[in-house]
Amino acid sequence: MAKWTPRHEAPEPLEGPIVATITGGTILWFVMFLVQVPFYGWFADRDLTWWVWTCLAGGGLGLIGIWYVRSRDAAIKRRAAEAAEAPEAGPKA
């Protein structure tokens, strides 16, 4: 079996409103959980309670995700500010 080698360079990662995207998704998970809670008996009768708990787990993991992407975003901005303040270390003539 031949070793795989890439034929072209990988594209740059897409950057966008990551914090807003993760926050929106987390809110949706919690809303789905709250919508399903009144029907818990219906889910229990059909052995589908995992749907309810999956939504709660998604919301909980989303909170971790929000913390992570906010920390990442702050670190990126801090690094950019440090790079802007530092004098460029070019070759001296």
Side-chain angles (χ1 to χ4, degrees):
M1 189 163 158
K3 182 179 177 184
W4 182 82
T5 56
R7 295 183 183 170
H8 51 77
E9 290 185 32
E12 290 292 320
L14 296 175
E15 293 291 334
I18 297 171
V19 175
T21 302
I22 300 301
T23 303
T26 302
I27 290 169
L28 285 175
W29 278 114
F30 279 123
V31 167
M32 288 188 299
F33 171 72
L34 293 174
V35 167
Q36 290 178 355
V37 167
F39 303 102
Y40 189 82
W42 185 89
F43 287 107
D45 292 344
R46 289 158 180 78
D47 197 28
L48 296 174
T49 56
W50 64 270
W51 285 21
V52 178
W53 302 118
T54 299
C55 293
L56 184 61
L61 290 172
L63 291 175
I64 295 170
I66 291 170
W67 170 79
Y68 178 80
V69 296
R70 288 186 70 195
S71 299
R72 177 184 177 270
D73 194 42
I76 290 171
K77 288 178 182 175
R78 188 170 46 249
R79 177 82 180 238
E82 289 172 0
E85 289 177 0
E88 292 190 28
K92 295 182 179 180

